[in-house]
């Protein structure tokens, strides 16, 4: 009977550990994991922000790294050249998140 209880305890511990791992995959909160980027931006700037598709420049570049947070937010909100404006398509929170994630990608 004691062995049986011990087995139950071991099994529940095992399942608890599995459950914890299943629920918390390593959090990838970067630009490439952002569904907003995937849906709106990846077609021009590439899935990883490497650029090239339909003439969108890379978002990981010296130029982007040199741009201020305000510049980046402004370009995404109001557009620039062939870059469409997202003022009416995304919320300002979504745009802020994109800006932060673009900045994070450019920090080496
Ligand atoms: C239709 C293609 C297209 C789409 C879609 C697009 N972009 Fe762009 N993006 C461009 C082009 C082209 C430029 C270059 C504009 C210029 O400098 O004339 C640009 C420039 C930028 C820049 C400035 C880069 C720099 O180094 O100055 C940022 C930041 C940017 N895009 C972010 C985004 C984000 C975020 C999204 C999605 C919400 C997005 N873009 C969607 C084409 C696109």
């Amino acid at each position: 009977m004691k062995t049986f209880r011990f087995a139950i305890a071991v099994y529940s511990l095992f399942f608890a550990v599995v459950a914890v791992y299943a629920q918390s995959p390593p959090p990838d909160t970067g630009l490439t994991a952002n569904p907003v980027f995937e849906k709106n931006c990846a077609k021009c700037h590439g899935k990883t922000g490497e650029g090239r598709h339909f003439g969108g420049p890379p978002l990981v570049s010296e130029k982007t790294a040199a741009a201020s947070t305000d510049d980046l937010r402004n370009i995404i909100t109001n557009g620039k050249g062939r870059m469409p404006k997202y003022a009416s398509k995304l919320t300002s929170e979504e745009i802020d998140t994109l800006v932060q994630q673009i900045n994070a990608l450019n920090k080496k």
Side-chain angles (χ1 to χ4, degrees):
M1 194 59 194
K2 261 204 174 141
T3 329
F4 182 66
R5 283 227 192 107
F6 180 70
I8 299 273
V10 169
Y11 274 120
S12 5
L13 190 67
F14 174 76
F15 282 115
V17 169
V18 169
V20 165
Y21 271 100
Q23 275 166 22
S24 50
D28 187 355
T29 53
L31 188 69
T32 52
N34 185 343
V36 175
F37 180 81
E38 193 56 18
K39 186 163 163 261
N40 297 283
C41 327
K43 60 176 176 279
C44 291
H45 291 289
K47 272 195 172 23
T48 59
E50 82 277 13
R52 285 194 296 267
H53 304 270
F54 301 104
L59 295 179
V60 186
S61 70
E62 278 177 28
K63 187 168 168 249
T64 311
S68 72
T69 303
D70 281 348
D71 286 343
L72 294 178
R73 190 182 294 124
N74 202 30
I75 293 171
I76 299 168
T77 308
N78 302 315
K80 186 183 174 194
R82 302 218 324 278
M83 159 85 194
K85 60 167 184 272
Y86 284 90
S88 56
K89 292 183 199 146
L90 301 176
T91 65
S92 55
E93 289 81 27
E94 285 171 329
I95 293 178
D96 279 349
T97 305
L98 288 167
V99 169
Q100 282 165 21
Q101 291 172 335
I102 291 168
N103 276 334
L105 269 188
N106 281 284
K107 285 206 188 77
K108 309 248 161 62

